[in-house]
Amino acid sequence: MLPDGYLHLTECPELTIDYLDGGLPRRALRAVEAHLETCADCRKAVAEQKRIATLMQSQEQVNPPHALKSRVMAGLTAETAASKERYAAHARLWARLRSAWKVQTLLPAVAALLFLSVALGVFIQTQTPKDSNLSMDVSETTSQAASAESSDSPMSEYSSALDERGRTEETEGTKTTAAVQSMPATALMAVSGTPTSVGQTVYGTLSVELPPPLASTQWLEGRTTYAVVIGSSDLALLADFLRATGSRVTVSHAEEGQEASVEAIVRALATYPRMVRLEEGNFRLAAQAAPEGQQDGFKPDQDILLIITLTPDS
Amino acid sequence: MPHSPNTEEGEIRLIARAQTGDEDALEILYREHERRAYNLALRMLGDPWSAADVAQDAFIKAFSSLGRFREDAKFSTWLHRIVVNTAYDYLRKRRDEPEEDERLQHLATTKRDSDTPGMERGGDPASDGLSSQVKKALLSLEEDFRVTIVLCDLLGFTYREAAEILEVEQGTVKSRIFRARARLARILRDDLGGENVDSVGNNGAAQAVQET
């Protein structure tokens, strides 16, 4: 018998195709054959299917034009050159950002994240105060950070680093320098959610509006959100840190609550060492420190690991 | 380094090399896939000039974003998805700019070998391997049906591969194949001036179509 409710084989295209391909289990095959014996219409349709399949499958493929290969290779060379230039421009910017944000010692990456979040947040708070929710969240995080960082004040170090950058780079007057200098002023950060449990955990959405030179470059066109890792050996660092400390980093889609595994993130980042497009919308970055005593294996190479969501000008 | 493209491991190694910009690896990858990729574009678009443009764009897109290719996918699936998407874009553009289409059609019917370097092989570029009836019938199918039957019946992709390329369920692929074949049968029958295709054998059908 055909599946319930069906009078003809042709009403079940999938079944017909599986039958034609010899992919039916014995029982289903017997049912189809039994139906075909009694139904001339379906026999005709099956024969038609076979005939057209044979006709199509017997059509020969043609050779692509000779010139296609050289056109592809030439186009690829041009495209590579263009993207190298784009990449170099961004590499220069990231290098500057990195040295501006470099710290000598890095405790768990969590601390770095907290430190950066707080530093940026407080900076923005003082520059362009936002709504009261933001202020409250930021200060809540600040107290956590203060307990996590025992020695120097992260805030002052960060500020002086920025000041120094501003001074030393002022004379260069390049577009990139301008971008670096204007970045903190245009950066916006919002911390949402609240730290949970006793461990140092921060949920935050970092959103940085790009200054014009970056926002107008081609790689951002038509795209809205990137996560960027700043650091020379960022991926290895992330992976090592996660392994050594047993920490957990999840990036989740803030709106849909989808979580990506560490492996998925690392894999995604690995395909694009410096930047990776995640998805549109905001992402929540959560880092959770391992229990004490498991953090010894972590040897950062003085780079700050930071994942930010970049929102170019629309 | 010995190259064994037919094994999964060989492919992974080859792509790893290509990802570093190794031109030999890129060329091997190109040669392995050019024929099917070009024929896919050709059967979707119908003329060799558009097909060459689309195939060229798709290869450049694929090769310049090899960094985004992940090993858990098959390169062939990934590449052909790019070809399909590029072809869809091309067709959409053609619909949006009909004047452009007319111009291209004009070029397609008037341009000859001397105008297009590299097109000379195979003589008349308009003779592209399909009889005019089969070609016309294929091009009259809806794009979704056309691309599916081209992938499976003309280019020999499995239903599973086609499903991955098109990012649809296998059931959708099978159902499209079934309906596409039924439509082709009707179109070809009409085209043969009411001759009963059922009475013609498999080879006979092809023959009859070519002779008409």
Side-chain angles (χ1 to χ4, degrees), chain B residues 57-76:
Chain B
D57 282 0
F59 269 110
I60 293 171
K61 263 185 230 168
F63 284 171
S64 61
S65 58
L66 266 179
R68 257 173 278 168
F69 173 71
R70 298 196 321 276
E71 275 174 21
D72 54 0
K74 260 181 81 180
F75 179 75
S76 160

Side-chain angles (χ1 to χ4, degrees), chain A residues 21 51 62-64 71 271, chain B residues 35 39 56 67 121 159 198:
Chain A
D21 283 8
R51 207 165 24 251
V62 296
N63 288 324
R71 281 164 61 182
T271 63
Chain B
R35 198 172 156 91
N39 277 269
Q56 176 189 339
R121 183 174 53 180
Y159 298 135
D198 288 346

Side-chain angles (χ1 to χ4, degrees), chain A residues 11 44 56 74 106 135 137 173 186 230 248 282-283 296 308:
Chain A
E11 290 168 7
K44 201 174 146 188
M56 290 298 144
L106 192 63
S135 311
D137 285 342
T186 56
I230 299 175
R248 203 161 55 84
N282 291 324
F283 290 85
D296 295 339
I308 50 178

Side-chain angles (χ1 to χ4, degrees), chain A residues 9-14 16-18 20-21 44-45 47-77 79-80 83 223 267-268 270-272, chain B residues 26-27 30 34-36 38-39 42-43 52-53 55-56 59-60 63-64 67-68 70 72 117-119 121 128-130 134 149 153-155 159 171 174-175 177-178 181-182 184-185 188-189 197-198 200-202 205-206:
Chain A
L9 176 62
T10 48
E11 290 168 7
C12 321
E14 285 187 56
T16 313
I17 295 292
D18 284 341
L20 286 165
D21 283 8
K44 201 174 146 188
E48 188 180 77
Q49 287 280 321
K50 276 187 190 164
R51 207 165 24 251
I52 297 296
T54 310
L55 175 64
M56 290 298 144
Q57 286 157 9
S58 66
Q59 300 296 325
E60 296 212 341
Q61 293 183 35
V62 296
N63 288 324
H66 273 314
L68 187 55
K69 190 181 126 197
S70 47
R71 281 164 61 182
V72 167
M73 294 304 167
L76 188 61
T77 310
E79 171 60 30
T80 310
S83 83
R223 294 158 194 195
R267 200 171 56 221
T271 63
Y272 245 128
Chain B
L26 285 169
E27 261 197 61
Y30 173 82
E34 61 166 349
R35 198 172 156 91
R36 276 215 288 195
Y38 173 74
N39 277 269
L42 180 62
R43 298 310 170 214
D53 282 351
Q56 176 189 339
F59 269 110
I60 293 171
F63 284 171
S64 61
R68 257 173 278 168
R70 298 196 321 276
D72 54 0
M119 291 294 183
R121 183 174 53 180
D128 66 354
L130 292 195
V134 171
I149 201 166
D153 280 354
L154 275 82
L155 302 179
Y159 298 135
K174 289 176 187 171
S175 144
I177 294 282
F178 178 84
R181 285 178 185 161
L184 284 175
L188 289 171
R189 196 160 46 222
V197 180
D198 288 346
V200 192
N202 288 336

